[in-house]
Amino acid sequence: MQNWIDLRSDTVTKPSPAMLQAMMAAEVGDDVYGEDPTVIQLEEYLADQVGTESAVFVSSGTQANLLAILSHCGRGDEYIAGQEAHLYKWEGGGAAVLGGVQPQPLDFEADGSLDLVKVQAAVKAEDNHFAKTRLFCLENTQSGKVLPLAYLKEASLWAKKQGLRIHLDGARAFNAAVKLGVSIREVTQPFHSISICLSKGLGAPVGSVLCGPREMIKIARRWRKVCGGGMRQCGILAAAGLYALEHNVDRLAEDHENAAHLAQHLRELPGVSVDESLVQTNMVFLSLQGHDPKQVADFLKTRGILVFPSSTMRLVTHLDIHKGDLLTVVKAFREALLSQRSPSVRKTETVSEGSLSGAW
Ligand SMILES: *Cc1c(COP(=O)(O)O)cnc(C)c1O
């Protein structure tokens, strides 16, 4: 089996031998009966970490967000979210399909926040013509960007004053906390409910957790069953999540460092631009000018590197990307980009490690 350097997403991590050991040793029971001790342990552990009364283990981040919306909103209600937000754009319209809940998308600001003045203007007045605005959703990290703590507090106070619930899609909230050097609770406390992915940078193979007030999580558990998400002896999966939370949080800093290194060296290549202000956690966005993204991706594949072809290419670091892989990636990009240029240009430039060596 080839060891790919897979930069497509941080969802691609494989469980380590130690994580697999923890899974094999997990005590299990029927979680639909509330009898799986490992699932209970995971839910209590994470609720305590993020500072909510309760939590529920679910199959995916999509399901966690769906259950949050279904628990906060009813038929004919509305939630406000970013135009590019995962829970609006990338989850199949689940809240509308299954809950009769309408989204009100708004453009994200450059820093990944939603401008509260614009959000305020989108809140519907009480009027029989309108859906009822119930819920305000933020995402952190948003495309790798960390929302400022002061903004989270302000957003939370604003939402409470409006009588709105506020939900965090915190698929990568631990990346935000590690970047800021604060506990996860500082990032999550301003929200009524929070969804956390265990299967992104934290490295578990499956699973997310929805955290929130006891009454809300009770409702979410019912919706989980309705959605077919009641799992039986899933302590095996919860054990991977617990292992991830106990061992893989602090090391997210390495992923952030690796992304910064990649950004710093890739931006020096011809036809590449990287906005380094956007490289805050484990994602790098490259704009490729005058290159065919598909050709670049195909070339990288011949060097054992996987990326999604796109004119703005997203590279994601994670626990299966090692420091030693970075030089391989930069060299391969350099080769890919030079090989696509006209022969007269290519003659004057050679592929050399030059300034790269020693920088890692
Ligand atoms: C990955 C992700 C999710 C959930 O994804 P699943 O693949 O359903 O686990 C939700 N929100 C954000 C921001 C994500 O990146």
Side-chain angles (χ1 to χ4, degrees):
M1 199 174 63
Q2 184 167 359
N3 263 335
W4 294 100
I5 299 176
D6 193 341
L7 295 164
R8 291 172 302 168
S9 178
D10 48 7
T11 55
V12 299
T13 58
K14 311 252 170 77
S16 64
M19 182 180 277
L20 288 168
Q21 279 298 330
M23 295 170 78
M24 286 206 291
E27 223 187 300
V28 297
D30 191 322
D31 183 55
V32 173
Y33 299 162
E35 291 173 3
D36 190 301
T38 312
V39 172
I40 293 170
Q41 196 189 337
L42 170 67
E43 291 170 346
E44 287 178 352
Y45 180 87
L46 203 50
D48 179 58
Q49 288 256 306
V50 305
T52 58
E53 287 174 345
S54 190
V56 58
F57 181 50
V58 296
S59 61
S60 67
T62 298
Q63 193 174 57
N65 286 328
L66 174 64
L67 300 190
I69 298 173
L70 293 181
S71 303
H72 290 304
C73 304
R75 185 174 152 90
D77 289 347
E78 169 184 270
Y79 67 99
I80 297 175
Q83 194 74 249
E84 297 294 323
H86 201 283
L87 59 63
Y88 164 60
K89 189 172 176 186
W90 302 86
E91 297 182 1
V97 174
L98 298 162
V101 185
Q102 149 180 307
Q104 168 61 69
L106 296 173
D107 288 335
F108 278 125
E109 301 302 309
D111 67 357
S113 69
L114 287 171
D115 182 334
L116 296 178
V117 174
K118 295 178 192 165
V119 181
Q120 173 88 58
V123 174
K124 314 264 182 302
E126 275 213 27
D127 182 314
N128 284 347
H129 293 86
F130 299 146
K132 289 182 180 164
T133 311
R134 288 267 186 239
L135 178 66
F136 175 38
C137 303
L138 288 170
E139 188 172 303
N140 196 14
T141 61
Q142 201 283 313
S143 290
K145 289 168 287 192
V146 178
L147 301 188
L149 291 178
Y151 170 76
L152 300 184
K153 284 204 187 98
E154 195 193 345
S156 169
L157 284 174
W158 173 82
K160 283 167 192 164
K161 219 162 69 194
Q162 296 289 315
L164 299 181
R165 298 289 185 89
I166 180 167
H167 171 72
L168 176 66
D169 179 351
R172 298 187 179 87
F174 276 100
N175 290 83
V178 166
K179 174 66 183 193
L180 293 171
V182 300
S183 69
I184 185 69
R185 195 181 276 238
E186 299 235 12
V187 172
T188 52
Q189 197 89 80
F191 296 87
H192 288 114
S193 59
I194 305 103
S195 53
I196 303 258
C197 276
L198 303 167
S199 61
K200 299 262 163 94
L202 294 177
V206 178
S208 281
V209 179
L210 175 64
C211 305
R214 200 176 315 283
E215 281 310 305
M216 179 223 165
I217 295 301
K218 227 169 104 182
I219 298 167
R221 267 183 209 284
R222 181 183 146 70
W223 282 121
R224 182 184 67 167
K225 192 77 184 85
V226 172
C227 293
M231 300 183 284
R232 302 290 177 174
Q233 285 72 26
C234 55
I236 293 170
L237 299 175
L242 272 170
Y243 181 92
L245 290 167
E246 282 161 6
H247 295 89
N248 294 342
V249 171
D250 291 342
R251 65 149 306 287
L252 291 172
E254 283 172 43
D255 299 342
H256 303 167
E257 217 174 276
N258 287 344
H261 274 297
L262 276 180
Q264 192 188 333
H265 290 279
L266 290 173
R267 73 193 289 261
E268 290 166 5
L269 302 182
V272 174
S273 65
V274 179
D275 184 342
E276 283 190 78
S277 74
L278 302 182
V279 186
Q280 299 178 14
T281 55
N282 66 334
M283 293 184 191
V284 180
F285 292 86
L286 303 179
S287 301
L288 298 177
Q289 290 103 26
H291 296 286
D292 173 17
K294 172 86 170 60
Q295 275 184 30
V296 172
D298 287 347
F299 181 90
L300 293 174
K301 197 163 180 185
T302 68
R303 297 294 185 270
I305 298 162
L306 298 180
V307 296
F308 283 126
S310 162
S311 57
T312 300
M313 205 175 263
R314 185 185 82 159
L315 309 182
V316 187
T317 56
H318 50 76
L319 56 71
D320 290 340
I321 300 292
H322 306 287
K323 228 178 185 59
D325 297 329
L326 305 182
L327 182 57
T328 310
V329 172
V330 175
K331 278 167 72 177
F333 261 99
R334 176 176 290 225
E335 255 189 286
L337 299 176
L338 290 179
S339 70
Q340 278 189 29
R341 304 177 81 194
S342 68
S344 59
V345 178
R346 204 184 316 156
K347 245 184 287 169
T348 62
E349 297 196 35
T350 53
V351 177
S352 115
E353 292 177 31
S355 65
L356 294 174
S357 52
W360 308 87

